[in-house]
Amino acid sequence: RIGTAALAVQVVGSNWPKPHYTLLVTGLCRFQILQLLKEKPYPVAEVQQLDRLEQFTNGHKSEEELGELSEQFYKYAVQLVEMLDMSVPAVAKLRRLLDSLPREALPDILTSIIRTTNQEKLQILDAVRLEERFKMTIPLLVRQIEGLKLLQKTRKSKQDDDKRVVAIRPNRRISHGSITEDEEEEEDHDDVVVLEKKIRTSSMSEQALKVCLKEIKRLKKMPQSMPEYALTRNYLELMVELPWNKSTKDRLEIRAARIVLDNDHYAMEKLKKRVLEYLAVRQLKNNLKGPILCFVGPPGVGKTSVGRSIAKTLGREFHRIALGGVCDQSDIRGHRRTYVGSMPGRIINGLKTVGVNNPVFLLDEVDKLAKSLQGDPAAALLEVLDPEQNHSFTDHYLNVAFDLSQVLFIATANTTATIPPALLDRMEVIQVPGYTQEEKIEIAHRHLIPKQLELHGLTPQQIQIPHVTTLGIITRYTREAGVRALDRKLGAICRAVAVKVAEGQHKEAKPDRAEVGEGEDCKEHVTEDAKPESISDTADLALPPEMPILIDFHALKDILGPPMYDMEVSERLNQPGVAIGLAWTPLGGEIMFVEASRMDGEGQLTLTGQLGDVMKESAHLAISWLRSNAKRYQLTNASGSFDLLDNTDIHLHFPAGAVTKDGPSAGVTIVTCLASLFSGRLVCSDVAMTGEITLRGLVLPVGGIKDKVLAAHRAGLKRIIIPQRNEKDLEEIAAHVRQDLTFVLAGCLEEVLNAAFDGGFAVKARLEHLNSKL
């Protein structure tokens, strides 16, 4: 119950990374607690002073009273200090204090500096009489001197700097006398030693090792209360955790890889071929650099999931980095360590997460990067995705080079239009087109339906979805290049069936036919071959009598509502001035109607439908070509004049007015639409077309042929007019799709018009009537 009265001079510390405070106090005197008055919110007690503050001023009596005991203590104290390095300022100051301070103060000062336990310090504090205090402190000094002598014998001369660390504790530890904090400080010191050992035994590069050893030396001399202490320690721990030379072994069996890819994904032959080529080359050359692939295609076709399958095929770790909306280059390269809250970039963080230096990195949505005041992340990716530079990728946080050449980078994008040309040039672009109807049916029955049954707790004995029903969902309820909407529709069907199953399991009597839904109706619309096999009697007892529920078109209408998409092509082509074009969008190909009308006016051309400048120019090209060839094709306005704009206004409209449209590929569609308007003839209802036109009537090639053809196939069209120079693009289309369609290769607008109208659009022979001038 003896304590020390003191004045608090300074409090320094922080709560991060863990609470650690340093208290600087000035001791006044000892006191003894007589009575504890209260404990909360802080202890208050009545105390008695045990020693006087003015006793140190009467220094002339101390030597006479203590005599030999004081001299002995002073001799041991000088011996202890002289065994330390006098070049250290703290040691030199302590040596001066031994001569200047009164002898009565020395036991308290030296006890707080030398290595002693808390219990021993408390015993010195309890010793109020000076003589008793000297007697208790001298053995502690002798023990410290013997320890230093033994240490000097075992240590080398170059480790002299460590003597003062062992012998004298830093002053910041004096104010905290708890055993717990001493143990924590010792543990921290041990952690630094362990960290240094890990650095020396790691397989990092020579440059990185040199930087880490320099930082660990700074860390040893740094007090823990400094904010930089935690930053430096985090940096060193990251350097140790990075996989400098740790890698996984690739599975190079091509046959097994082909089986894995076929099981995970249907179609996608071009992607599978590229992966198998990489495996084959890896068998011949072990140190092959990882390719940098870019999968470009509409949403929902499996670009992201195929990246995971590639990692599974190779036996590598997989890490996905979402780049959509990233507008700071520090997300790629990291922050410099001079900033508060700095951290490495996503590339280095991903390597730390997977723990190997040859993972598969999926850079998702690379076409949706943004620019800001913090820099351009697309420019930061130039170094990452360049095979000639990424062997020495330098993150701002690490500030040392890291080898990324063994990483297999896969980028995904919906379009290449928004990717900077320099970045696009560094990647191997592989187009991933949309699926055909047949491919969607296979994907639904191989992957989507089993997945939805498992998610909703259903079994094939409870629900059956025939191929005909799946085709109806694809054509009437979804119109997309991928299969995401199809997956959602299948989930809605499973939820509706789950309600029926749950209701049937809680009813003892046979449920009403009205509650069953489509029980009898389904069976009327399914042939005998499509009916499910009869379930055994034991199964009939366990399941409701309507099981399995068979989904047909009536059930689709009850569950999903009326069809969202109708086959409206023939209905919209029942009058002149309408033609069907083909457009490409980042979501896949689409069919596009072009409508035209004429009226009395002043010869103006009106264009509506949110058209871009290129499409507006195509419309002007089309009307100019028709005006110059009006006599040849016998095209007249309402008054019979070959000048099509004479007292006539023309209005061209592209439906879906809320969608912005642009591009040159609608040129042939506009010409056909206007030719139908002025000739009064109907365009064939099963024909779609695409192609750019010139003023001389030539048809130039366009892009996105595969997506456009698939869109026409989804819409039920049978004939497609494409530029003759796009014939090479037809090889990418599946054989069964080509068999269902008839392709017309056109080199000029005359061939387009002949194919777009029944019976052709040939030049009509007409006798020339000469007007008499007499």
Side-chain angles (χ1 to χ4, degrees):
R1 299 174 67 85
I2 294 180
T4 303
L7 292 176
V9 178
Q10 188 180 25
V11 180
V12 180
S14 66
N15 286 325
W16 189 83
K18 60 181 181 179
H20 189 278
Y21 292 92
T22 299
L23 182 64
L24 181 62
V25 299
T26 300
L28 299 178
C29 64
R30 287 176 172 81
F31 64 83
Q32 182 179 8
I33 298 177
L34 300 179
Q35 182 182 359
L36 189 63
L37 301 180
K38 66 175 183 177
E39 295 185 1
K40 293 182 180 180
Y42 49 85
V44 176
E46 182 181 351
V47 299
Q48 177 185 1
Q49 182 176 340
L50 298 180
D51 50 6
R52 286 179 246 166
L53 298 178
E54 60 272 11
Q55 67 176 343
F56 297 136
T57 59
N58 302 326
H60 61 280
K61 297 182 180 180
S62 60
E63 292 185 8
E64 299 175 0
E65 294 177 357
L66 298 177
E68 296 180 0
L69 197 59
S70 173
E71 288 294 332
Q72 185 181 7
F73 182 88
Y74 176 75
K75 181 179 66 174
Y76 283 129
V78 172
Q79 182 181 355
L80 174 64
V81 174
E82 289 180 349
M83 293 178 68
L84 303 177
D85 187 3
M86 297 299 295
S87 62
V88 179
V91 178
K93 183 178 181 181
L94 180 60
R95 181 65 183 87
R96 292 193 299 269
L97 287 176
L98 291 179
D99 296 333
S100 60
L101 287 177
R103 301 286 174 89
E104 293 83 353
L106 294 182
D108 291 335
I109 294 176
L110 288 177
T111 304
S112 65
I113 294 177
I114 62 177
R115 186 177 291 276
T116 55
T117 65
N118 264 357
Q119 188 64 31
E120 291 171 338
K121 290 181 179 180
L122 289 175
Q123 291 176 359
I124 301 297
L125 187 64
D126 291 343
V128 180
R129 296 176 59 248
L130 283 177
E131 183 180 0
E132 183 181 355
R133 207 180 306 162
F134 275 121
K135 290 180 179 179
M136 295 177 65
T137 311
I138 288 175
L140 300 179
L141 288 178
V142 173
R143 185 182 68 184
Q144 192 70 50
I145 292 171
E146 295 298 328
L148 280 177
K149 289 181 180 178
L150 182 62
L151 191 64
Q152 287 177 346
K153 292 180 181 179
T154 56
R155 282 193 173 183
K156 297 180 181 180
S157 58
K158 65 178 182 178
Q159 295 177 332
D160 290 341
D161 292 341
D162 294 336
K163 293 178 183 177
R164 67 178 186 276
V165 178
V166 177
I168 300 179
R169 289 185 167 186
N171 290 334
R172 58 189 176 86
R173 302 186 186 181
I174 297 174
S175 58
H176 291 77
S178 63
I179 299 177
T180 305
E181 189 141 337
D182 289 342
E183 292 176 352
E184 288 180 358
E185 291 171 352
E186 292 176 2
E187 289 177 1
D188 290 337
H189 179 72
D190 293 340
D191 289 344
V192 173
V193 174
V194 172
L195 185 60
E196 182 179 8
K197 185 178 180 181
K198 288 181 180 179
I199 291 173
R200 293 184 182 277
T201 56
S202 65
S203 55
M204 63 179 66
S205 63
E206 183 178 352
Q207 179 189 5
L209 181 62
K210 183 178 178 181
V211 171
C212 288
L213 292 178
K214 181 180 178 181
E215 293 293 329
I216 201 74
K217 287 182 180 179
R218 293 180 62 242
L219 188 68
K220 288 180 179 179
K221 301 177 181 179
M222 198 182 302
Q224 295 182 18
S225 59
M226 288 184 62
E228 193 176 354
Y229 180 89
L231 298 177
T232 305
R233 182 165 179 170
N234 291 340
Y235 171 76
L236 293 174
E237 289 176 351
L238 174 66
M239 294 289 283
V240 171
E241 293 175 3
L242 284 179
W244 297 93
N245 283 325
K246 184 180 179 182
S247 59
T248 55
K249 188 176 181 182
D250 289 346
R251 289 200 296 261
L252 302 178
E253 297 181 8
I254 296 182
R255 184 173 300 176
R258 192 190 304 271
I259 293 174
V260 172
L261 289 174
D262 289 339
N263 290 339
D264 289 349
H265 289 84
Y266 184 75
M268 292 189 175
E269 298 301 328
K270 189 180 292 186
L271 286 183
K272 297 175 183 177
K273 179 182 176 183
R274 183 63 183 87
V275 175
L276 296 178
E277 288 173 353
Y278 173 72
L279 287 177
V281 177
R282 276 301 306 268
Q283 285 186 356
L284 304 178
K285 186 176 181 181
N286 291 330
N287 59 347
L288 178 67
K289 293 182 178 179
I292 298 170
L293 309 177
C294 181
F295 300 159
V296 179
V301 297
K303 301 184 297 295
T304 303
S305 59
V306 79
R308 194 181 303 273
S309 295
I310 290 174
K312 178 182 175 182
T313 302
L314 297 174
R316 292 191 179 189
E317 297 292 334
F318 177 80
H319 186 72
R320 174 178 171 270
I321 300 176
L323 296 179
V326 173
C327 58
D328 188 355
Q329 68 156 351
S330 299
D331 280 4
I332 307 299
R333 281 201 181 125
H335 304 80
R336 300 193 183 276
R337 285 190 291 134
T338 53
Y339 296 113
V340 176
S342 60
M343 62 181 68
R346 296 194 183 189
I347 304 296
I348 297 299
N349 260 335
L351 290 169
K352 174 188 172 184
T353 302
V354 298
V356 292
N357 66 353
N358 63 340
V360 175
F361 269 10
L362 183 74
L363 306 178
D364 213 2
E365 308 293 354
V366 75
D367 60 326
K368 297 175 179 60
L369 291 169
K371 292 182 180 180
S372 69
L373 296 176
Q374 284 75 33
D376 185 4
L381 280 175
L382 295 178
E383 181 184 5
V384 177
L385 299 182
D386 192 343
E388 301 300 326
Q389 299 180 25
N390 63 7
H391 61 85
S392 59
F393 170 69
T394 303
D395 187 274
H396 287 164
Y397 185 83
L398 296 186
N399 207 23
V400 292
F402 194 93
D403 187 6
L404 299 178
S405 61
Q406 298 303 315
V407 179
L408 174 56
F409 287 101
I410 298 176
T412 66
N414 296 132
T415 176
T416 57
T418 55
I419 302 177
L423 181 60
L424 187 64
D425 182 61
R426 285 163 164 78
M427 299 185 291
E428 179 181 347
V429 178
I430 299 178
Q431 295 290 338
V432 186
Y435 297 115
T436 63
Q437 292 180 357
E438 291 77 9
E439 290 172 346
K440 288 184 179 181
I441 293 174
E442 287 295 327
I443 292 171
H445 286 271
R446 290 189 184 190
H447 303 287
L448 302 183
I449 293 178
K451 182 186 77 172
Q452 291 294 341
L453 292 182
E454 182 181 357
L455 287 176
H456 294 86
L458 299 173
T459 62
Q461 287 76 29
Q462 294 170 327
I463 178 175
Q464 287 190 4
I465 304 177
H467 284 67
V468 179
T469 305
T470 308
L471 180 60
I473 299 173
I474 294 171
T475 56
R476 296 182 175 220
Y477 291 93
T478 63
R479 184 168 289 179
E480 58 172 354
V483 292
R484 283 181 181 160
L486 175 61
D487 192 27
R488 288 192 289 268
K489 299 300 181 185
L490 293 173
I493 293 173
C494 290
R495 289 192 297 272
V497 173
V499 173
K500 299 296 181 183
V501 172
E503 288 178 351
Q505 289 179 350
H506 288 81
K507 289 184 179 181
E508 296 179 359
K510 181 178 180 180
D512 297 335
R513 303 303 296 175
E515 295 178 353
V516 174
E518 60 281 341
E520 294 179 357
D521 294 336
C522 294
K523 297 179 181 179
E524 292 178 0
H525 293 83
V526 180
T527 60
E528 293 294 326
D529 295 335
K531 286 184 178 180
E533 297 179 1
S534 60
I535 305 175
S536 61
D537 294 337
T538 57
D540 287 340
L541 295 176
L543 295 173
E546 297 82 14
M547 297 299 160
I549 296 178
L550 192 64
I551 306 299
D552 67 348
F553 292 111
H554 293 279
L556 285 182
K557 189 173 181 180
D558 292 339
I559 298 173
L560 301 180
M564 299 175 61
Y565 303 100
D566 295 325
M567 307 306 291
E568 59 177 355
V569 175
S570 59
E571 288 81 357
R572 296 186 66 169
L573 294 178
N574 56 3
Q575 59 181 354
V578 182
I580 302 176
L582 296 174
W584 179 91
T585 69
L587 306 180
E590 293 289 343
I591 64 171
M592 177 178 61
F593 291 91
V594 180
E595 301 175 351
S597 65
R598 59 183 177 181
M599 62 217 76
D600 294 338
E602 300 177 354
Q604 294 182 353
L605 176 62
T606 304
L607 303 172
T608 55
Q610 281 209 37
L611 308 184
D613 292 337
V614 178
M615 190 170 281
K616 290 179 181 178
E617 292 175 357
S618 297
H620 287 286
L621 278 173
I623 193 65
S624 297
W625 184 84
L626 286 174
R627 291 177 68 186
S628 62
N629 292 273
K631 290 184 180 180
R632 182 182 180 189
Y633 293 103
Q634 297 299 307
L635 303 177
T636 60
N637 58 13
S639 60
S641 173
F642 290 119
D643 187 1
L644 302 181
L645 294 180
D646 184 21
N647 297 323
T648 303
D649 286 347
I650 300 175
H651 188 164
L652 271 174
H653 177 63
F654 295 76
V659 180
T660 304
K661 311 169 190 69
D662 201 4
S665 61
V668 295
T669 311
I670 299 174
V671 170
T672 306
C673 175
L674 293 175
S676 170
L677 176 67
F678 289 116
S679 66
R681 300 178 60 186
L682 296 178
V683 180
C684 295
S685 61
D686 61 346
V687 174
M689 60 199 74
T690 184
E692 182 181 356
I693 61 172
T694 67
L695 203 55
R696 294 182 299 157
L698 300 179
V699 179
L700 302 183
V702 293
I705 291 295
K706 185 172 183 179
D707 289 324
K708 294 176 180 178
V709 170
L710 293 179
H713 187 257
R714 287 196 299 268
L717 301 173
K718 298 301 180 184
R719 281 197 299 162
I720 300 178
I721 302 173
I722 63 173
Q724 188 171 12
R725 289 164 61 181
N726 281 120
E727 183 180 6
K728 61 182 183 301
D729 297 321
L730 298 179
E731 297 178 359
E732 301 179 0
I733 302 171
H736 64 275
V737 176
R738 293 202 302 266
Q739 291 175 0
D740 294 342
L741 300 173
T742 301
F743 294 96
V744 179
L745 304 177
C748 61
L749 286 175
E750 183 176 350
E751 297 175 0
V752 173
L753 295 177
N754 287 331
F757 294 91
D758 285 332
F761 203 78
V763 178
K764 294 183 180 179
R766 183 176 177 180
L767 296 175
E768 294 290 339
H769 296 282
L770 298 177
N771 295 325
S772 175
K773 297 182 179 180
L774 297 177

